[in-house]
């Protein structure tokens, strides 16, 4: 494995441990770091993971391939880290479903 990727993975694991003990600090990290943490969780679950570029990602932040008894399954992940008082609305879900139907 690339030494730089290994260092990033180690930093992400340490941050995950910290956030597990201090979940109130989740909102202090950047949107990019949040996407990387989600990707790290998926890697820990055994997925092959790709974090998409920050712009022009087609409404997909993380692509994760899950192994299964019937073959590989693709999970398309859109990460949203809003302020604690801000809820994810139906419009975001509808846009994501449109991306899944029309892009993938």
């Amino acid at each position: 494995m690339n030494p730089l990727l290994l260092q990033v993975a180690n930093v992400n694991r340490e941050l995950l441990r910290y956030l597990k003990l201090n979940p109130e600090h989740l909102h202090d990290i950047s949107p990019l770091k949040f996407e990387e943490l989600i990707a790290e969780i998926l890697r820990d679950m055994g997925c092959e993971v790709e974090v998409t570029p920050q712009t022009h990602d087609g409404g997909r932040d993380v692509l994760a391939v899950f192994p299964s008894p019937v073959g590989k399954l693709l999970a398309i992940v859109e990460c949203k880290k809003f302020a604690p008082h801000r809820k994810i609305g139906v419009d975001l879900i509808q846009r994501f479903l449109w991306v899944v139907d029309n892009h993938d």
Side-chain angles (χ1 to χ4, degrees):
M1 178 181 246
N2 179 328
L4 180 59
L5 290 177
L6 187 57
Q7 284 181 318
V8 169
N10 287 339
V11 168
N12 285 346
R13 283 193 186 95
E14 287 301 314
L15 183 55
L16 280 170
R17 281 189 207 106
Y18 175 79
L19 291 172
K20 186 175 180 179
L21 296 172
N22 304 280
E24 68 278 6
H25 293 289
L26 179 64
H27 295 284
D28 297 338
I29 65 173
S30 72
L32 174 59
K33 182 51 73 176
F34 182 69
E35 291 177 14
E36 291 172 353
L37 287 174
I38 298 301
E40 193 64 36
I41 290 167
L42 292 166
R43 272 189 204 96
D44 287 347
M45 294 171 62
C47 295
E48 298 171 32
V49 177
E50 176 187 341
V51 178
T52 62
Q54 288 298 288
T55 57
H56 307 293
D57 64 7
R60 305 156 28 197
D61 295 322
V62 178
L63 303 176
V65 177
F66 284 84
S68 83
V70 295
K72 294 181 177 185
L73 302 174
L74 175 64
I76 302 162
V77 181
E78 174 72 10
C79 298
K80 294 294 181 205
K81 185 186 69 73
F82 292 150
H85 66 278
R86 188 170 170 209
K87 304 293 182 202
I88 294 174
V90 166
D91 58 327
L92 284 172
I93 304 296
Q94 289 172 334
R95 277 194 303 236
F96 179 70
L97 291 173
W98 184 90
V99 166
V100 171
D101 280 347
N102 294 284
H103 193 280
D104 297 297

